[in-house]
Amino acid sequence: MDFGFMMHYAPYFVNAAYMTVFISFFGLVLSLVLGLICVAVQMANVPVARQIVRAYVELSRNTPLLVQLYFLYFGLPKLGVSWSAETCAIVGLAFLGGSYMTEALRGGFEAVPRVQLESARVLGFSPVQTFLHVTVPQALSTAIPAVVANVIFLVKESSVVSAIALADVMYVTKDLMGQTYDTYESLTLLVITYLVILLPISIVGTVLERRFDYARR
Amino acid sequence: MTDINATTTGSASLGVAGAAEHPAVTAQGAALSVRHLVKQYDNASAPVLNDISFDVPAGQVFVILGPSGSGKSTLLRTIAGLEPIQGGEITMGGELLRQAQSAGKLRSASASDSTKVGMVFQSYDLFPNKTVLGNIMLAPVLVQKRDKASVQAEALRLLERVGLADRKDAWPHELSGGQRQRVAICRALIEHPQVMLFDEVTAALDPEMVREVLDVILELANSGQTMLIVTHEMAFARAVADHVVLLANGSIVEESDHPQEFFDHPHTERAQQFLATFTYDRGQRQS
């Protein structure tokens, strides 16, 4: 292995990692917001919106991210909507992640015992107060492991954005391999970059799981 | 509104002393008044509660006994506003609290509800995401918009009263079942409810923990708190009750203002039968 080569090209990966983290971060935040809205619609059993959420979840889960990105990047301009590659990447990740987060969060919400809601009701909480102070904290605590798994999955899935010419770590790696033919070193740098990004997330996830595990005895 | 027959005799009691006066008693002077209450689930053939009427004067300890499925818990839940009712009405201090709703819909809880009824459930229901103090302080601060400092002072006084002052920062999962129930009582009391409802609060507890919870309820009774208690602890019921009611199949079978007499000499066959299930006779053992 050529360590001199790796040291030389490492700064390219640092810059590309910023792009990966940038896209992933905003994609994830939007995924979570979208997931929370969808779950709220499902829990509140809003008539028409419930069916729309169901259709969205199935559409989003059962189509590849690459296809979703192509649609946003190459398809939308035909309809007169031209977004930057960054916007397409973030919206694409949010579209995919939203359904995964919906399913992960739904599990948490369904696990909140009925008597918790009844206690809140007798204490005089409004439905909104119950939702914010009782349901959400407990549901999130149960959902943390599944949500963390989705976060890691989505960061990895962000490698697909290289297909719409965004200079993320995957894109830089393909570029480097094309220019230098040093495949082995390039891919090793890529693996290291992903580990540097994802291992801290894994560790924070484990800490959060422990911290908010209210159900333990 | 009330779709049941207004000419029914009000109380289903069978000629027990005190019970016959029911239809004449007005809601005045009663902390809680239940009139012709009917509770029926949509797909059920018979009502769970069938024309229940009673009054609970302020300061009274009203104990409800009965076999499983007799409707005792459902009765408390209708008073707490957790179950829609299909007939009759419940008033508190002369003010309408619950009435039959069209389409069986429950209206949302409001801040004014918080000062009317407080309830403690059989299953541990403390909020696991809050500490002991957090559990007690949440509702008065959030719902009743009271001053945080004075709420905290009162919460600490209540914890002192139930012997848990040193556990104020503990999480619910760190407490025993008996401790959780005592905290749950504090959480309800801090809202100053006119009526407290206890729904088999010791049923899930180890025998040794039953005592610590019942002692708190007994002390509360002595302080003049109006309360309705559903329990299977007969010795406790006998000790604490001002008024005993026996529910069976959704109706009041027997009631009495003299608990000792009720337990020793029940009038109705159903009550004799029910109370007999709690006693064991050495004579049954074949030597």
Side-chain angles (χ1 to χ4, degrees):
Chain A
M1 187 161 348
D2 184 348
F3 285 104
F5 172 91
M6 285 167 66
M7 292 308 285
H8 183 260
Y9 285 104
Y12 288 82
F13 280 84
V14 174
N15 284 336
Y18 282 130
M19 178 58 85
T20 293
V21 169
F22 170 77
I23 300 288
S24 303
F25 177 78
F26 287 102
L28 281 168
V29 169
L30 288 178
S31 298
L32 274 171
V33 171
L34 193 56
L36 273 175
I37 294 171
C38 289
V39 168
V41 165
Q42 286 180 334
M43 290 293 117
N45 224 337
V46 187
V48 179
R50 214 184 98 243
Q51 274 81 17
I52 294 174
V53 164
R54 198 65 236 160
Y56 155 67
V57 167
E58 294 308 332
L59 177 69
S60 155
R61 282 202 306 181
N62 298 310
T63 50
L65 178 58
L66 187 60
V67 174
Q68 296 168 6
L69 281 179
Y70 275 11
F71 181 82
L72 291 169
Y73 194 64
F74 300 115
L76 277 189
K78 298 270 187 288
L79 302 171
V81 183
S82 283
W83 284 346
S84 69
E86 283 88 349
T87 309
C88 287
I90 290 171
V91 170
L93 270 183
F95 183 81
L96 177 73
S99 62
Y100 278 81
M101 292 300 183
T102 302
E103 292 299 284
L105 293 171
R106 190 167 60 98
F109 278 86
E110 284 173 354
V112 177
R114 206 184 141 85
V115 71
Q116 289 283 322
L117 310 181
E118 293 183 338
S119 309
R121 194 196 156 89
V122 179
L123 288 169
F125 288 35
S126 69
V128 174
Q129 287 169 334
T130 305
F131 186 73
L132 292 180
H133 295 272
V134 180
T135 316
V136 169
Q138 292 183 40
L140 289 186
S141 130
T142 315
I144 281 174
V147 168
V148 170
N150 284 345
V151 167
I152 292 171
F153 160 76
L154 285 169
V155 173
K156 289 187 293 183
E157 199 70 357
S158 75
S159 60
V160 174
V161 303
S162 62
I164 56 171
L166 260 188
D168 79 322
V169 287
M170 189 68 213
Y171 185 87
V172 167
T173 308
K174 285 197 282 194
D175 207 29
L176 200 57
M177 287 193 295
Q179 284 178 28
T180 65
Y181 297 104
D182 284 324
T183 314
Y184 187 59
E185 281 78 4
S186 304
L187 287 174
T188 305
L189 275 172
L190 176 62
V191 168
I192 292 172
T193 312
Y194 270 122
L195 286 179
V196 167
I197 296 172
L198 288 170
L199 278 180
I201 297 180
S202 265
I203 292 166
V204 169
T206 310
V207 171
L208 283 178
E209 259 174 59
R210 295 233 179 94
R211 167 65 183 79
F212 292 102
D213 185 6
Y214 302 123
R216 80 197 150 179
R217 269 138 225 284
Chain B
M1 202 197 74
T2 47
D3 53 2
I4 55 150
N5 192 343
T7 59
T8 44
T9 44
S11 172
S13 313
L14 302 174
V16 182
E21 308 155 13
H22 258 312
V25 174
T26 64
Q28 283 169 351
L32 183 79
S33 181
V34 173
R35 284 288 170 275
H36 306 299
L37 176 67
V38 175
K39 167 72 200 171
Q40 179 154 19
Y41 290 104
D42 284 346
N43 42 16
S45 56
V48 186
L49 295 172
N50 188 11
D51 193 13
I52 302 277
S53 295
F54 59 82
D55 288 311
V56 183
Q60 190 179 67
V61 178
F62 190 96
V63 171
I64 304 162
L65 306 173
S68 299
S70 59
K72 337 183 269 302
S73 288
T74 309
L75 177 57
L76 288 197
R77 291 170 59 83
T78 60
I79 297 168
L82 295 172
E83 301 277 355
I85 59 178
Q86 280 66 47
E89 58 183 35
I90 302 172
T91 55
M92 185 169 273
E95 215 176 296
L96 186 65
L97 184 67
R98 323 271 176 220
Q99 61 179 340
Q101 302 281 314
S102 57
K105 278 259 177 76
L106 276 174
R107 62 175 180 77
S108 297
S110 68
S112 66
D113 286 345
S114 64
T115 52
K116 288 176 178 148
V117 284
M119 184 163 181
V120 183
F121 296 81
Q122 174 184 344
S123 57
Y124 312 135
D125 62 324
L126 293 182
F127 303 130
N129 51 317
K130 298 277 176 198
T131 62
V132 165
L133 210 48
N135 262 281
I136 301 175
M137 289 176 61
L138 189 60
V141 172
L142 198 67
V143 177
Q144 300 182 329
K145 314 269 186 250
R146 280 156 60 188
D147 170 59
K148 210 165 180 174
S150 69
V151 165
Q152 173 154 359
E154 187 178 352
L156 292 173
R157 278 200 303 277
L158 283 168
L159 282 172
E160 188 81 43
R161 197 166 147 196
V162 302
L164 288 172
D166 56 328
R167 306 296 277 149
K168 67 181 168 61
D169 295 318
W171 293 89
H173 70 85
E174 297 168 332
L175 302 178
S176 71
Q179 290 174 330
R180 288 187 215 189
Q181 291 300 59
R182 283 186 280 160
V183 174
I185 292 171
C186 294
R187 185 178 66 173
L189 283 179
I190 200 164
E191 292 196 302
H192 309 139
Q194 292 176 42
V195 174
M196 277 288 287
L197 309 173
F198 294 95
D199 187 10
E200 293 189 43
V201 291
T202 59
L205 295 179
D206 287 343
E208 295 210 316
M209 291 174 184
V210 169
R211 181 86 204 199
E212 65 188 45
V213 175
L214 296 185
D215 280 346
V216 167
I217 298 176
L218 204 57
E219 191 260 332
L220 200 55
N222 289 335
S223 76
Q225 172 75 49
T226 312
M227 55 177 94
L228 278 76
I229 303 175
V230 166
T231 184
H232 284 301
E233 301 286 338
M234 290 305 139
F236 174 67
R238 183 195 276 255
V240 78
D242 293 320
H243 188 89
V244 192
V245 155
L246 178 68
L247 267 188
N249 293 323
S251 299
I252 296 176
V253 177
E254 180 165 345
E255 60 184 304
S256 170
D257 276 324
H258 306 283
Q260 309 301 332
E261 199 188 305
F262 168 82
F263 283 104
D264 292 333
H265 307 288
H267 290 75
T268 59
E269 202 179 317
R270 187 69 190 87
Q272 288 161 8
Q273 207 180 26
F274 175 74
L275 290 171
T277 60
F278 292 91
T279 56
Y280 296 91
D281 185 358
R282 182 69 197 176
Q284 286 177 291
R285 179 77 166 86
Q286 289 162 4
S287 50

